[in-house]
Amino acid sequence: MWSELTDALAQYWAFIVGSLIAFYRIFIQGSNRDEVVRFMRRNRVNALRKRRATTVAKSGKVAPNWSEATTIIDIIADEWDAVAAKSNGTSNSLFVCIVSNLLFSSGARGLNEHVTIGMPFDVSDGKTQELRSNALTMSTLTWKPRGSRYGELFLIRDKSREAFQKVAANVVPEEVRPAALPLATLHIVPDRIASKLTHAGSVADAIASNVGTLPDTLTKLGKYPVVSTAARAVHPRLTATQALAQDLVIDACLLRNGDHYTLSINGLDPVRFPNSRSLRNLAIKELEKWGLVPQSWESDQPGLGIPGGPSALF
């Protein structure tokens, strides 16, 4: 009881002091006005996006029974790593670049626009936290190609490192802070107001989840060896209107299975990805531009190949 009261008093004190400082910076010093303007613009864009989503959904341009597009592709790990090293990058920076390029090639984002990629980050030390605890947080990387979209992996590598370091240092991203106000504000105002003070609902244009290497315990199903395993995101009951109203366009996962990587991609824009086939074709063409040989789970041949794989599974 006493600890809760102490915590509440500390929150209110932080709110009062922080608000006074914010008032001084905004109205007297003028240093935080740009942050307030950016916040207001983001809210305006979100309102327009929701209005557009309703209009597009009612226009008949999107199938009423649309469901998120998905595709799963295998790539030889040595070839993937070699392409990454050739551009002074890592396997993860190549993954982030491919996801970014899908935003550009699909038309979801313009070539001159910055894109924000969310990268889940494990902050557990493997010792003090239990295995069942959720130790994941999200780091974000915002960038745009300076020249070619195929060869700037060193830029993504450095920006990714900076993003991970900020997360490790518990630096709160600007997108999830209340505009020019102290963080304590979110603990005091009602949830409905707190949600409007932040941009946390749509921080990223795409999510790139590098799951890592498949544990040995999952390489067999009983006595049968597992040839390939995919990790993928799910978005239950996501409607076309809801998908159009959000920033998130692509949700991708990368998992290493022995001698190959398995890339799974979800397309969450009904206009850009009306079905899984359109997403698969775009992803395969993107991988081929890097000189990679993609093997879709929906085909028995590399590249676009000949349909004959286990597509009925998904």
Side-chain angles (χ1 to χ4, degrees), residues 25-38 180:
R25 288 177 175 174
I26 295 172
F27 295 103
I28 300 177
Q29 196 176 41
S31 60
N32 278 12
R33 290 177 186 174
D34 289 344
E35 185 176 348
V36 175
V37 170
R38 287 197 299 270

Side-chain angles (χ1 to χ4, degrees), residues 27-236:
F27 295 103
I28 300 177
Q29 196 176 41
S31 60
N32 278 12
R33 290 177 186 174
D34 289 344
E35 185 176 348
V36 175
V37 170
R38 287 197 299 270
F39 168 79
M40 295 176 67
R41 285 177 178 171
R42 283 200 301 259
N43 277 356
R44 177 61 176 166
V45 168
N46 284 344
L48 292 174
R49 183 180 286 114
K50 291 179 180 179
R51 190 179 305 170
R52 171 184 172 273
T54 304
T55 303
V56 172
K58 292 180 179 178
S59 66
K61 296 180 179 179
V62 178
N65 59 344
W66 174 86
S67 60
E68 62 184 287
T70 183
T71 188
I72 303 177
I73 301 170
D74 288 337
I75 308 99
I76 300 300
D78 288 343
E79 296 178 1
W80 180 285
D81 293 339
V83 168
K86 186 178 179 181
S87 297
N88 296 320
T90 62
S91 60
N92 188 65
S93 57
L94 176 57
F95 175 40
V96 171
C97 192
I98 287 172
V99 171
S100 301
N101 283 347
L102 288 175
L103 290 170
F104 299 129
S105 58
S106 67
R109 298 294 182 268
L111 287 175
N112 294 323
E113 291 184 75
H114 284 83
V115 294
T116 300
I117 309 298
M119 300 175 294
F121 182 62
D122 186 2
V123 295
S124 66
D125 56 12
K127 299 177 182 179
T128 58
Q129 298 196 29
E130 298 182 16
L131 291 177
R132 67 173 181 269
S133 63
N134 186 359
L136 287 179
T137 187
M138 183 77 74
S139 61
T140 56
L141 177 153
T142 300
W143 80 292
K144 76 172 181 177
R146 297 185 303 181
S148 171
R149 292 190 285 132
Y150 302 92
E152 295 188 334
L153 298 186
F154 63 91
L155 179 63
I156 297 177
R157 180 200 63 203
D158 294 341
K159 285 184 173 291
S160 298
R161 185 181 294 114
E162 292 175 5
F164 291 142
Q165 289 173 347
K166 286 183 179 180
V167 171
N170 292 321
V171 176
V172 181
E174 177 185 335
E175 292 83 357
V176 297
R177 291 190 289 111
L181 295 174
L183 279 173
T185 306
L186 301 180
H187 300 285
I188 295 174
V189 300
D191 291 344
R192 182 173 58 85
I193 298 177
S195 64
K196 293 183 180 297
L197 289 176
T198 66
H199 195 57
S202 51
V203 171
D205 301 307
I207 294 177
S209 304
N210 192 336
V211 182
T213 302
L214 186 71
D216 293 337
T217 54
L218 299 179
T219 56
K220 287 187 178 181
L221 188 60
K223 62 179 181 179
Y224 300 101
V226 175
V227 177
S228 191
T229 303
R232 55 168 293 212
V234 292
H235 306 86

Side-chain angles (χ1 to χ4, degrees), residues 109 201-202 204-207 235 243 246-251 268-269:
R109 298 294 182 268
S202 51
D205 301 307
I207 294 177
H235 306 86
Q246 65 180 8
D247 282 348
L248 189 63
V249 176
I250 293 174
D251 199 344
L268 307 178
D269 188 325

